[in-house]
Amino acid sequence: MADEPAKADVLVVDDEPNVARIISLNLEMEGYKARVAYNGRQALDEVESKKPDCILLDIMMPEIDGWEVLRVLKDDPETADIPVVVVTARSSDVDQIKGFSGGAVEYIVKPFNPRQLVDYVERALKPRIEDLEEEIKQEMDSGYFFFG
């Protein structure tokens, strides 16, 4: 699997190193490239340096919490299309509504099943993959597709 390209670049944002490590390892075992940010500021810096394909975002973090990170990402046209999966211990209906209305595509409550987490990532990425496939098909059909 080391020779195969990664399925997608996923940014894991969690202030608990053990949780971030468990999530990252599970993603990497499934062929994803996982990057980690341990707080909201680091997350925004990581996104600015290289836009990920998907973000797994904890809510309760020091300095800049996940709600603010989500708001900043969704307010910026450059990052608004990145699918964000909220991964948090906050399980109230109000929090889930806040997550989805803020732009999250999925909402996972800790503790979580690692297999289920990977399924959520795959579902979050599916529309993006379909859009890329359609874009490539249109370019090939138009005759302007360039290999190089």
Side-chain angles (χ1 to χ4, degrees), residues 12-20 23 56-61 86-91 107-113 116-117:
V12 178
V13 185
D14 200 303
D15 62 323
E16 297 179 38
N18 289 338
V19 174
I23 293 172
L56 297 179
L57 180 64
D58 185 22
I59 295 301
M60 297 184 295
M61 296 184 292
V86 170
V87 184
T88 183
R90 299 180 70 115
S91 62
Y107 194 102
I108 303 170
V109 178
K110 296 175 186 175
F112 54 85
N113 175 314
Q116 186 181 28
L117 182 79

Side-chain angles (χ1 to χ4, degrees), residues 4 21 28 37 47 60 62-63 77-78 86 92 104 110 117 123-124 133 135 137:
E4 295 178 23
R21 183 172 166 78
E28 289 168 354
V47 170
M60 297 184 295
E63 284 184 58
E78 292 294 315
V86 170
S92 76
K110 296 175 186 175
L117 182 79
R123 275 203 309 263
E133 288 171 347
E135 189 177 306
K137 182 184 178 307

Side-chain angles (χ1 to χ4, degrees), residues 28-48:
E28 289 168 354
M29 285 177 14
E30 294 296 324
Y32 292 95
K33 177 184 179 197
R35 294 186 282 150
V36 176
Y38 296 105
N39 60 53
R41 171 58 44 218
Q42 266 187 349
L44 295 172
D45 290 346
E46 280 290 323
V47 170
E48 190 175 322

